[in-house]
């Protein structure tokens, strides 16, 4: 998911293109933040550390299919089709009427989401359910115009959440029509993050396709909530992660500025952080700070109670681990402070122990489609973000829609329609809908735009104490807090209730 906000102070010495990027933007993905240094918009194909962690790597068996999908569902001139990938497992499916759990794919490779949505695999047998994971157009292998899909604005024009929802609805109809026994199978949409928003919206827009939806960590209100909430949650996580933790991070920005004022300081910083490319200029320093900021955000999102390898291989409770390096007195020297920060970021970048150097162009997994998300946030998914340095541990950066829009225009030749998401998906008042579970972890920064209070008997919010980004969708794990175990059980109870409801109205 994406957002950007303007960087307060820009330096006149920056080159004009860098200045555009750096003054204008921070994009925030639902999984990762891209800041000015990454805005050259090169797709980040990131080198991965590989360490095997059992809970993330159970062997899954599914078949891969490709569905002929309409490129444009809403107009009639573009009549071409493309191959939409979906993954299917029916080993536990009760053929006559067993439910279909349908993952509404988000901004990345569907196999990766499939691997990271253990909840569906864990409950398939109990529910006698078929599992389907549908890829979102323009991500993974589902490219409407093949390799040309990202080559120009004309081809990108069909990358919208509305088209993606229509893909899902059409695919569901086809599955029910074509798979013997599936006609009577009730379908439940499941998704996390942007995928969770899509699950909720699929239920809202196509209530005849799905009987209900589980929208996990789905910030459907991020378009309309105050811009500071997201970073306040990040800060809260670090404040409770350890003594002096967020205040030391809060002081680090000025320390970086101070140290990097001299050539010798730049060299010291580059060495202290073992950077792959040494810092040379002010724009490098901007990039460096943005990379630190992304690192803290990512850590907050994936602060899971056990070792996991979602964005990076990480220890259990990684934020606490990070904070063990930042406990010192807030009066220490800048160099001591930054030494602590450099140890802290290594928790994120070198838990595997095989990082040769730290690369400030990388913060997250290459399974995510960064470029696609940029485009989506530059068109429909406009999520205002800001920091003030008072209620959060970051440098003050007000939200600046105009700068954001200009950046989008420069990158894609399109401008965002800032009110469209609210108009098309209803803003705050969604009370007319039914059968949607909104689950949120209280550690997850995205809860700031989520539905955290139940709206009606069938639009229910569940808060997960000690839960990070869509923890409930992950595999069961022996370290799971009680809260998530209860949440999953409750979610299954709702599924069963919806299935019974559907059966009684057939
Ligand atoms: C750093 O990351 C970028 C972007 O993924 C990549 O192009 C570059 O090769 C990496 N540098 C090193 C030294 O690994
Ligand atoms: C699709 O459009 C092309 C050109 O616009 C036309 O020649 C072709 O007959 C159309 N195909 C279908 C199936 O409508
Ligand atoms: C998904 O997991 C399988 C092993 O179960 C692995 O072979 C595959 O590379 C993973 N795919 C992604 C995209 O993570
Ligand atoms: C945290 O910082 C305060 C104020 O600088 C200091 O008095 C205290 O000793 C620090 N706590 C720890 C555990 O170092
Ligand atoms: C990563 O950890 C290994 C093992 O502790 C260490 O040898 C290496 O220097 C570390 N890399 C960086 C960039 O700190
Ligand atoms: C919300 O929408 C419902 C119908 O969809 C309407 O009855 C209700 O008045 C609306 N509430 C507000 C506060 O606008």
């Amino acid at each position: 998911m994406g957002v950007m906000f303007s960087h307060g102070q820009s330096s006149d010495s920056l080159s004009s293109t860098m200045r555009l990027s750096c003054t204008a933007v921070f994009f925030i993905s639902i999984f990762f933040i891209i800041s000015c240094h990454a805005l050259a918009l090169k797709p980040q194909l990131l080198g991965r550390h590989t360490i095997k962690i059992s809970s993330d790597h159970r062997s899954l068996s599914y078949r891969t299919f490709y569905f002929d999908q309409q490129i444009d569902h809403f107009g009639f001139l573009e009549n071409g089709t493309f191959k939409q990938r979906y993954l299917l497992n029916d080993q536990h499916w009760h053929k006559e009427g067993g439910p279909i759990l349908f993952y509404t794919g988000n901004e990345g490779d569907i196999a990766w989401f499939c691997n990271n949505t253990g909840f569906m695999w864990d409950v398939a047998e109990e529910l006698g359910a078929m599992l389907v994971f549908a890829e979102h157009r323009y991500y993974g292998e589902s490219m409407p115009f093949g390799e040309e899909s990202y080559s120009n604005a004309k081809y990108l024009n069909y990358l919208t959440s509305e088209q993606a929802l229509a893909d899902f609805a059409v695919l569901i109809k086809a599955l029910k029509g074509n798979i013997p026994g599936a006609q009577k199978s009730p379908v439940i949409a499941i998704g996390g993050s942007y995928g969770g928003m899509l699950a909720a919206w699929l239920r809202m827009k196509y209530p005849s396709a799905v009987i209900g939806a589980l929208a996990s960590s789905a910030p459907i209100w991020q378009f309309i909530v105050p811009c500071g909430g997201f970073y306040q949650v990040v800060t809260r996580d670090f404040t409770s992660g350890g003594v002096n933790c967020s205040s030391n991070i809060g002081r680090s920005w000025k320390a970086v500025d101070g140290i990097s004022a001299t050539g010798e300081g730049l060299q010291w910083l580059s060495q202290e952080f073992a950077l792959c490319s040494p810092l040379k200029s002010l724009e490098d320093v901007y990039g460096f700070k943005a990379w630190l900021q992304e690192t803290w955000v990512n850590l907050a999102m994936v602060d899971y109670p056990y070792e996991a390898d979602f964005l990076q291989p990480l220890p259990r409770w990684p934020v606490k681990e990070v904070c063990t390096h930042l406990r010192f007195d807030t009066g220490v020297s800048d160099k001591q402070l930054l030494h602590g920060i450099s140890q802290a970021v290594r928790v994120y970048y070198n838990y595997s122990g095989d990082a040769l150097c730290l690369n400030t162009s990388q913060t997250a997994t290459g399974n995510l489609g960064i470029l696609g998300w940029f485009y989506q946030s530059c068109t429909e998914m406009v999520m205002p973000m800001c920091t003030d340095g008072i209620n959060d541990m970051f440098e003050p950066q007000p939200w600046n829609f105009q700068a954001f829009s200009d950046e989008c225009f420069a990158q894609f030749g399109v401008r965002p329609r800032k009110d469209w998401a609210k108009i098309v998906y209803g803003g705050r008042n969604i009370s007319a809908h039914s059968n949607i579970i909104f689950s949120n972890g209280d550690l997850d920064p995205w809860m700031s735009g989520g539905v955290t209070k139940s709206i009606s008997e069938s639009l229910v919010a569940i808060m997960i104490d000690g839960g990070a980004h869509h923890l409930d969708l992950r595999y069961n794990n022996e370290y799971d807090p009680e809260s998530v175990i209860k949440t999953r059980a409750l979610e299954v109870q709702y599924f069963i209730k919806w299935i019974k409801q559907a059966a009684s109205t057939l």
Side-chain angles (χ1 to χ4, degrees), residues 58-60 109 111-112 115 367:
R58 306 191 193 182
S59 63
L60 307 174
D109 183 335
W112 183 67
N115 285 0
N367 287 310

Side-chain angles (χ1 to χ4, degrees), residues 271-276 342-343 346 349-359:
Q271 271 164 12
E272 177 59 46
F273 282 79
L275 298 182
C276 303
S342 91
Q343 295 306 304
R346 281 176 172 84
Y349 292 107
N350 197 22
Y351 180 56
S352 61
D354 55 15
L356 299 177
C357 56
L358 305 189
N359 186 342

Side-chain angles (χ1 to χ4, degrees), residues 141-411:
E141 296 179 7
S142 301
M143 293 295 169
F145 298 95
E147 288 181 356
E148 302 292 294
S149 298
Y150 280 87
S151 62
N152 64 51
K154 238 178 150 158
Y155 286 158
L156 272 172
N157 192 41
Y158 305 97
L159 170 51
T160 65
S161 57
E162 293 96 318
Q163 298 275 11
L165 291 172
D167 290 343
F168 296 146
V170 169
L171 176 59
I172 287 169
K173 183 163 188 299
L175 292 173
K176 290 180 106 174
N178 299 338
I179 300 176
Q183 284 85 342
K184 289 187 185 146
S185 287
V187 182
I188 294 172
I190 298 179
S193 209
Y194 170 51
M197 299 163 76
L198 292 169
W201 293 335
L202 187 62
R203 170 64 188 165
M204 296 178 190
K205 296 294 184 189
Y206 299 92
S208 65
V210 293
I211 61 168
L214 168 55
S216 173
S217 293
I220 60 165
W221 289 338
Q222 203 74 52
F223 314 104
I224 50 179
V225 293
C227 60
F230 182 91
Y231 283 95
Q232 287 165 20
V233 178
V234 177
T235 302
R236 194 173 71 200
D237 290 352
F238 283 85
T239 301
S240 47
V243 183
N244 293 344
C245 193
S246 62
S247 42
N248 277 324
I249 292 173
R251 290 178 53 233
S252 69
W253 314 112
K254 277 220 164 69
V256 169
D257 289 343
I259 299 264
S260 59
T262 66
E264 181 242 339
L266 283 175
Q267 208 179 349
W268 180 85
L269 259 187
S270 307
Q271 271 164 12
E272 177 59 46
F273 282 79
L275 298 182
C276 303
S277 321
L279 306 173
K280 295 214 172 74
S281 60
L282 254 183
E283 66 226 66
D284 291 349
V285 174
Y286 267 121
F288 174 72
K289 286 196 286 187
W291 172 79
L292 287 176
Q293 181 161 333
E294 290 170 40
T295 307
W296 309 134
V297 168
N298 285 355
L299 277 157
M301 276 194 267
V302 298
D303 194 18
Y304 295 128
Y306 44 81
E307 278 199 334
D309 178 6
F310 186 43
L311 300 177
Q312 288 279 354
L314 290 175
R316 58 185 305 228
W317 296 122
V319 169
K320 259 201 193 95
E321 186 69 28
V322 160
C323 289
T324 60
H325 300 287
L326 297 169
R327 309 178 69 86
F328 39 76
D329 192 310
T330 48
V332 300
S333 74
D334 284 355
K335 282 195 174 170
Q336 280 170 296
L337 171 61
L338 293 176
H339 174 71
I341 297 278
S342 91
Q343 295 306 304
V345 295
R346 281 176 172 84
V347 171
Y348 187 77
Y349 292 107
N350 197 22
Y351 180 56
S352 61
D354 55 15
L356 299 177
C357 56
L358 305 189
N359 186 342
T360 58
S361 309
Q362 297 185 351
T363 56
T365 171
N367 287 310
L368 289 163
I370 288 182
L371 193 54
W373 188 257
F374 277 161
Y375 179 80
Q376 289 195 258
S377 47
C378 274
T379 49
E380 301 181 295
M381 300 287 126
V382 184
M383 301 176 174
M385 292 272 169
C386 61
T387 50
D388 62 11
I390 298 163
N391 297 297
D392 54 63
M393 62 182 190
F394 299 99
E395 291 186 294
Q397 296 174 325
W399 165 244
N400 181 338
F401 178 75
Q402 194 52 51
F404 172 70
S405 175
D406 292 346
E407 179 70 16
C408 291
F409 190 73
Q411 299 292 353

Side-chain angles (χ1 to χ4, degrees), residues 429-433:
N429 192 352
I430 57 171
S431 62
H433 301 290

Side-chain angles (χ1 to χ4, degrees), residues 459-493:
L459 294 177
V460 293
I462 305 178
M463 281 305 293
I464 306 170
D465 265 356
H469 203 41
H470 50 62
L471 176 64
D472 51 333
L473 293 191
R474 301 181 62 78
Y475 279 113
N476 286 319
N477 185 290
E478 56 177 318
Y479 291 112
D480 276 333
E482 197 58 31
S483 58
V484 78
I485 296 170
K486 285 195 178 137
T487 297
R488 291 188 187 120
L490 190 56
E491 288 165 352
V492 169
Q493 271 176 34

